[in-house]
Each structure stands twice: as C-alpha cells, then as structure tokens.
C-alpha cells in the first residue's frame, strides 16, 4: 500500500466533527455493495455497511434526506438497515428534528401540495397515516389545498371516466376521495351533458345487447344512472318489429343453451320463464322461447 492509498481497514477515530453533514452534501455515498458473509461460504448479504459509530447513522440519514423528503417514521425504518442500535437511531432523529432537517408537518404540506391534483383529501389522509404522520399535521396540510386544485382533480376524474362511467359513479368516486358533493355537482353540471350519457349508454348497449333483450337493456341503463332521455335516444329504432324478433331469437338461444331436453311440466316452465326474465327478456320474449324450444 502506497502513502497515497487510503487504508480502508483504519478504524481510528475521525477528526471530522460529529453531525457535520447537511442535506445537499454529495460527499457521502452509502456502501450498498453486497458483502460476503464469513459464516457461510457463498452466502451473500445485501444492504449498507453496518454503522460503527453514531456519525455513520447520521450520514446515512442525511444521504436519504438528500434523495427526497421522509416522515419521521419512514426515516427510522431506513436507519434500521444501517444499525440495530435504537439509541443511535433516536439520537440521530432527535438531532435532525432539532436542526429542522426532519419535520412531519412540513413533510405533510409538501406531500399534499404535490399530489392534491391526483388524490382527494381522504386518499391523502390515508397515505400520510401509513407514513406515521399525526392527524394534526395532516389536517393542517389539507388546509393548504386551494379550491382551484380541487377543481383540477374533479375535472381530471370526469375526463378520465366520461363515456365509461355514469355521472353517479363518477360522483361517488370523487366523494370517496373526500371531495364535497356540492363542489362535485357544481363542476359536473358544467362538464357533463347529454352527449356524455349517450356515449356511455351506447357503450353499455354494445356490451350487453347480445346477452339480453330491450327490457333488460333498459333496466341496465337505468341501474347505471342513465337518464330516460338518453335511454330513449339510444334505443330508438325505426323498425320495432325487427327489434322484437331479434329479442325473441336471443331469448330462444338462451333457453336452448340452458335446457337441452323438452320442458314439459308447469314448474319447469315457470323456472325457465324466471331464468329468461333475469337475463333481461320480457315475458313476451320468454313465452315465444318456450313455444319454440328445441324446434
């Protein structure tokens, strides 16, 4: 070893003052290389080099804070990978809090401000609780959300689901995010119109028309919150007789697939009728299918 080469095995105390590193310093890089255990040949361990002194833990904490913000709880979890000495960890956390490098309230505000256009208050609260942030800090952070940012969240959600989900489902989704129904309705009244309902109704009809008749489609559209006006426009047909024949044939196909042998007694006919009605066919369609079963 030459004089210019550092001695990596040198365990003498460093002359560097304790806790001199600060967030933003690029000098420290944690040793995350795999280490070979001397206990079992070929068995490898991953993770940072174990801390030899409290300063190592402090430098490791600073390195992580340089990457992004952390709550107290999540940073503690990181430090347990460097040492099992809880006294060192608590000492480092206390020092970081004292210096202002670690602050749950500031972290919560930064977290909320960067994500409030993608998540509502309820979702943000849930995510921050999972990171160990106290409710008071969460509530204070949520107070910083501007009305304009909530409007962006509502508008984005509407754009994402327009033509795919009903206005009722979109509203429920936003309410689950913690957005007030009053604010939701105010924006949805402007953003959603009959065109949106017609797109959704057409999509649902295309999806279910092969499996059910007109009666079933109407029930399905109503259950999705589609207005009567949109239903009538979507299901409007110039040839009602042709539509009726198609529904009868669909009912017959369902019945022939379900019942491979003739339906004779009254109880079986009653069951078969109930089966078709549950599939969305009218009683008229069911009667036609029973009359022409297995022909």
């Amino acid at each position: 070893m030459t004089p210019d080469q550092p001695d990596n095995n040198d365990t003498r105390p460093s002359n560097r003052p304790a806790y001199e590193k600060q967030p933003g310093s690029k000098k420290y890089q944690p040793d995350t290389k795999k280490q070979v255990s001397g206990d079992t040949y070929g068995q490898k361990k991953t993770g940072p080099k174990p801390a030899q002194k409290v300063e190592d833990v402090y430098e490791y904490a600073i390195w992580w804070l340089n990457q992004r913000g952390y709550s107290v709880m999540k940073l503690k979890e990181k430090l347990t990978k460097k040492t099992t000495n809880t006294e060192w960890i608590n000492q480092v956390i206390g020092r970081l809090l004292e210096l202002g490098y670690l602050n749950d309230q500031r972290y919560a505000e930064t977290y909320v401000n960067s994500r409030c256009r993608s998540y509502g208050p309820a979702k943000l609260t849930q995510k921050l609780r999972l990171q160990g942030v106290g409710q008071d800090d969460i509530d204070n952070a949520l107070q910083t959300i501007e009305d304009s940012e909530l409007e962006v969240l509502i508008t984005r959600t509407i754009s994402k689901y327009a033509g795919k989900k009903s206005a009722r489902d979109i509203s429920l989704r936003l309410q689950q995010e913690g957005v007030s129904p009053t604010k939701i309705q105010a924006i949805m009244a402007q953003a959603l119109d009959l065109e949106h309902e017609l797109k959704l109704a057409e999509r649902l009809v295309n999806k279910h028309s092969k499996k059910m008749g007109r009666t079933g489609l109407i029930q399905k559209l109503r259950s999705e919150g589609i207005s009567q006006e949109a239903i009538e426009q979507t299901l409007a047909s110039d040839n009602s007789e042709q539509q009726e024949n198609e529904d009868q044939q669909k009912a017959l196909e369902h019945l022939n697939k379900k019942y491979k042998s003739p339906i004779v007694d009254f109880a079986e006919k009653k069951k078969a009728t109930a089966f078709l009605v549950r599939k969305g066919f009218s009683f008229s369609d069911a009667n036609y299918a029973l009359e022409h079963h297995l022909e």
Side-chain angles (χ1 to χ4, degrees):
M1 181 178 66
T2 65
D4 294 333
Q5 292 177 322
D7 184 358
N8 293 330
N9 296 320
D10 188 356
T11 58
R12 291 175 296 176
S14 172
N15 293 326
R16 183 184 65 250
Y19 307 122
E20 71 172 2
K21 298 292 183 182
Q22 300 179 8
S25 172
K26 297 182 179 179
K27 293 182 180 179
Y28 174 72
Q29 292 293 331
D31 183 4
T32 57
K33 294 181 179 179
K34 294 182 179 180
Q35 303 173 29
V36 179
S37 171
D39 298 330
T40 306
Y41 178 77
Q43 182 179 357
K44 295 183 178 180
K45 294 183 179 180
T46 60
K49 183 178 179 180
Q52 301 298 316
K53 51 188 180 298
V54 67
E55 287 85 354
D56 295 341
V57 183
Y58 180 82
E59 290 178 342
Y60 188 70
I62 291 296
W63 187 86
W64 281 111
L65 290 175
N66 280 336
Q67 311 309 306
R68 67 175 181 84
Y70 281 92
S71 65
V72 172
M73 186 189 82
K74 285 298 181 180
L75 186 60
K76 276 187 176 181
E77 291 179 1
K78 291 289 186 185
L79 297 185
T80 58
K81 297 179 181 179
K82 187 69 173 176
T83 182
T84 58
N85 189 321
T86 56
E87 183 178 349
W88 285 359
I89 292 175
N90 291 333
Q91 187 177 344
V92 168
I93 293 294
R95 181 62 172 164
L96 292 171
L97 289 169
E98 180 183 345
L99 294 172
Y101 299 157
L102 196 60
N103 185 301
D104 271 1
Q105 181 175 343
R106 185 179 64 236
Y107 172 76
E109 291 177 1
T110 303
Y111 189 92
V112 166
N113 290 333
S114 65
R115 293 167 174 81
C116 62
R117 294 188 174 193
S118 301
Y119 303 105
K123 190 70 172 180
L124 291 169
T125 297
Q126 180 185 17
K127 287 178 173 292
L128 285 169
R129 281 177 178 170
L130 291 174
Q131 298 182 63
V133 180
Q135 190 60 48
D136 288 343
D137 290 333
I138 295 174
D139 291 340
N140 290 332
L142 294 177
Q143 294 297 321
T144 65
I145 300 177
E146 301 287 342
D147 287 345
S148 60
E149 292 171 327
L150 281 178
E151 291 174 4
V152 171
L153 170 64
I154 297 171
T155 303
R156 281 183 174 179
T157 305
I158 291 173
S159 299
K160 181 178 180 180
Y161 295 107
K164 300 176 183 178
K165 292 187 177 294
S166 66
R168 181 196 61 191
D169 287 344
I170 295 175
S171 178
L172 287 174
R173 180 175 290 270
L174 286 166
Q175 289 180 50
Q176 291 171 354
E177 289 279 353
V179 183
S180 70
T182 304
K183 186 171 289 294
I184 294 171
Q185 293 304 321
I187 297 178
M188 287 184 68
Q190 302 173 4
L192 292 180
D193 51 20
L194 180 60
E195 183 180 356
H196 158 76
E197 283 196 309
L198 289 173
K199 286 181 180 179
L200 175 60
E202 184 179 355
R203 175 175 171 272
L204 291 171
V205 168
N206 291 337
K207 181 179 180 181
H208 298 286
S209 60
K210 293 182 179 181
K211 301 178 181 179
M212 58 180 64
R214 182 182 179 87
T215 302
L217 289 173
I218 292 174
Q219 294 173 352
K220 180 65 178 176
L221 293 175
R222 285 175 178 168
S223 70
E224 292 289 340
I226 306 297
S227 67
Q228 187 62 32
E229 181 182 2
I231 292 174
E232 290 175 357
Q233 289 192 33
T234 303
L235 297 179
S237 174
D238 296 332
N239 192 335
S240 58
E241 183 177 349
Q242 179 183 352
Q243 181 66 48
E244 182 180 358
N245 290 337
E246 288 178 358
D247 289 349
Q248 289 174 349
Q249 290 302 316
K250 290 177 190 175
L252 180 58
E253 290 173 6
H254 275 280
L255 194 66
N256 287 341
K257 186 176 180 180
K258 176 73 173 178
Y259 294 89
K260 302 297 184 181
S261 57
I263 304 173
V264 181
D265 62 60
F266 177 77
E268 283 297 313
K269 288 183 178 181
K270 189 175 180 181
K271 277 186 181 181
T273 301
F275 162 73
L276 290 172
V277 170
R278 286 196 303 272
K279 288 289 184 180
F281 294 100
S282 66
F283 283 100
S284 175
D285 297 335
N287 289 335
Y288 173 88
L290 286 169
E291 290 176 8
H292 298 83
H293 180 232
L294 298 180
E295 285 185 355

